[in-house]
């Protein structure tokens, strides 16, 4: 029951900022000592519904920009497929995932302010998307925790435009990553139904909340603490 509740909370918080929540799901599953191959597969599955709902919520508010999305997606989709096929030992997987969770923490605790926007060079977007996609496929995330801060740091998008673009980016990368998996781990279907339901409910509510209301700073700090604990567990336990 604790795992189900935490998955729902992660889905809510991540969907509110245009993310699918894979890094959060992985953090929670790491705390519950779930095997890395199952973590990767499950996180991508849960990502699908949450990122899609998040995208639709921000899209309906008019924040999505196709011209900003397609270069990243063009590079990331094939790269995520290839990344999912790269074999990693459990220890290597945990080390890389732990580093990415710390990246997610940095994204949450550092506020990037709105600024005059710049246009995205298409070639740069394609190569950047490929790099993000490859890493995303390797560890089982959609890549939003990497793309979102880049969009803001280089002033390619506003906060909610970044959320809209990142949400769809996460969805297509998750689909590609799942397609690239060499083997599927058998999953208890009754257990997975509860996990999916929790993520979908949390994602729906979070997406509706985030598309129209700014994120709560205290909530970000709580989420950051959970990710730090999970990162330390992956590295040292």
């Amino acid at each position: 029951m604790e795992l189900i509740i935490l998955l729902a909370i992660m889905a809510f918080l991540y969907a509110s900022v245009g993310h699918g929540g894979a890094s959060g799901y992985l953090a929670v599953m790491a705390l519950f000592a779930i095997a890395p191959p199952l973590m990767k597969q499950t996180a991508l599955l849960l990502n699908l519904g949450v990122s899609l709902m998040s995208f639709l919520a921000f899209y309906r508010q008019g924040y999505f920009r196709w011209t900003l999305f397609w270069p990243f997606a063009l590079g990331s989709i094939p790269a995520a497929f290839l990344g999912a096929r790269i074999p990693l030992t459990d220890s290597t997987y945990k080390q890389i995932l732990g580093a990415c969770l710390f990246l997610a923490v940095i994204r949450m605790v550092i506020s990037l302010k709105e600024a005059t926007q710049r246009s995205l060079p298409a070639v740069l977007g394609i190569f950047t998307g490929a790099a993000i996609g490859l890493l995303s496929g390797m560890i089982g995330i959609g890549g939003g925790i990497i793309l979102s801060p880049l969009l803001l740091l280089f002033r390619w998008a506003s906060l909610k435009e970044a959320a809209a673009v990142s949400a769809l980016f996460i969805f297509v990368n998750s689909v590609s990553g799942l397609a690239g998996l060499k083997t599927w781990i058998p999953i208890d279907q009754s257990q997975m139904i509860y996990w999916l339901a929790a993520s979908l409910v949390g994602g729906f509510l979070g997406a509706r909340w985030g598309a129209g209301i700014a994120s709560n700073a205290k909530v970000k700090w709580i989420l950051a603490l959970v990710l730090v604990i999970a990162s330390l567990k992956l590295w040292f336990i």
Side-chain angles (χ1 to χ4, degrees):
M1 180 58 70
E2 293 87 353
L3 176 59
I4 294 172
I5 293 172
L6 288 173
L7 290 176
I9 292 173
M10 288 297 177
F12 177 89
L13 296 175
Y14 275 79
S16 71
V17 292
H19 290 182
S23 58
Y25 309 141
L26 290 170
V28 169
M29 287 187 281
L31 293 175
F32 283 82
I34 293 176
L38 183 56
M39 288 170 57
K40 179 177 179 179
Q41 176 179 305
T42 302
L44 289 172
L45 284 170
L46 298 181
N47 243 8
L48 294 177
V50 176
S51 60
L52 183 59
M53 286 189 293
S54 185
F55 165 69
L56 291 174
F58 284 94
Y59 177 82
R60 288 169 181 164
Q61 295 293 324
Y63 294 114
F64 180 70
R65 288 169 53 195
W66 171 256
T67 55
L68 186 60
F69 168 77
W70 76 260
F72 293 111
L74 185 63
S76 72
I77 292 174
F81 180 88
L82 294 174
R85 303 186 70 81
I86 296 176
L88 297 175
T89 64
D90 286 358
S91 60
T92 301
Y93 175 83
K94 290 179 179 180
Q95 295 295 315
I96 296 175
L97 176 57
C100 287
L101 292 184
F102 265 116
L103 178 62
V105 171
I106 294 171
R107 163 67 182 92
M108 289 170 195
V109 301
I110 296 179
S111 297
L112 297 174
K113 299 180 180 180
E114 300 277 359
T116 303
Q117 293 183 30
R118 301 170 176 171
S119 59
L120 168 69
V123 174
L124 179 59
I126 293 171
F127 280 101
T128 302
I132 297 173
L134 185 66
L135 179 61
S136 300
M138 290 170 62
I139 62 175
I141 62 173
I145 60 170
I146 304 173
L147 178 63
S148 180
L150 288 179
L151 291 173
L152 298 174
L153 181 64
F154 290 100
R155 296 186 289 173
W156 290 328
S158 66
L159 289 170
K160 293 195 175 183
E161 287 174 346
V165 170
S166 294
L168 188 57
F169 181 82
I170 290 166
F171 179 80
V172 297
N173 276 345
S174 297
V175 172
S176 182
L178 284 169
L181 290 176
K182 287 186 174 182
T183 57
W184 280 75
I185 308 300
I187 301 175
D188 184 339
Q189 292 186 0
S190 60
Q191 177 178 264
M192 180 55 66
I193 288 174
Y194 287 115
W195 293 0
L196 286 171
S199 67
L200 289 173
V201 171
F204 175 78
L205 296 175
R208 295 290 297 272
W209 181 65
I213 304 174
S215 299
N216 187 310
K218 292 182 180 179
V219 170
K220 288 185 178 182
W221 282 101
I222 293 172
L223 179 55
L225 177 61
V226 172
L227 296 183
V228 167
I229 294 171
S231 299
L232 294 175
K233 185 177 187 298
L234 286 166
W235 280 344
F236 301 114
I237 299 178

